[in-house]
Amino acid sequence: QVQLVESGGGLVQAGDSLRLSCAASGRTFSTYNMGWFRQAPGKEREFVAAISRSGGSTNYADSVKGRFTISRDNAKNTVYLQMNSLKPEDTAIYYCAADKGIRLVTTTAAYDYWGQGTQVTVSS
């Protein structure tokens, strides 16, 4: 089992940047594919980005491609989400998640463990 704790959220203006972090407990972090999801008020949770165990493969939602970058440091048991050129529509609670599966996936149901989320608010 792994426990996930997100941090780095906040209130920023459109065009600003933020870096989210997700710290994982345990010694098995490198055996999980990791993902970032977000949920805006009144909307379903949606996929943002995912990264493979080694960090060699990544996948992004079209809405964030070119603006967000997911990365991980297995020595620090941490996954990051660098968010640049933020837009008001990026406002949401951001969650990190861990998946024991083999392939990178984008569906919430595929992920086994979730953090509690961190709020990102982008003002116009």
Side-chain angles (χ1 to χ4, degrees):
Q1 188 171 358
V2 61
Q3 293 183 325
L4 305 171
V5 179
E6 302 95 335
S7 61
L11 171 63
V12 297
Q13 293 186 331
D16 285 349
S17 298
L18 272 179
R19 188 175 82 154
L20 305 183
S21 299
C22 173
S25 65
R27 294 175 288 181
T28 60
F29 176 71
S30 62
T31 66
Y32 293 92
N33 293 328
M34 299 298 296
W36 284 98
F37 291 76
R38 66 187 181 186
Q39 188 167 18
K43 295 187 177 181
E44 292 187 352
R45 193 169 299 188
E46 66 175 4
F47 170 76
V48 175
I51 189 166
S52 62
R53 292 167 176 78
S54 67
S57 296
T58 58
N59 190 12
Y60 295 93
D62 288 342
S63 58
V64 306
K65 204 170 291 184
R67 299 188 299 122
F68 291 10
T69 303
I70 188 171
S71 62
R72 67 189 295 164
D73 185 338
N74 286 342
K76 295 182 178 180
N77 281 11
T78 303
V79 61
Y80 305 98
L81 186 68
Q82 177 67 44
M83 306 186 294
N84 299 330
S85 302
L86 282 161
K87 304 175 181 180
E89 51 263 44
D90 294 318
T91 295
I93 299 174
Y94 283 71
Y95 300 88
C96 72
D99 172 29
K100 296 183 291 186
I102 296 174
R103 296 179 297 109
L104 284 183
V105 291
T106 63
T107 56
T108 57
Y111 284 78
D112 303 287
Y113 303 104
W114 292 83
Q116 83 290 348
T118 185
Q119 176 70 50
V120 172
T121 304
V122 184
S123 64
S124 57

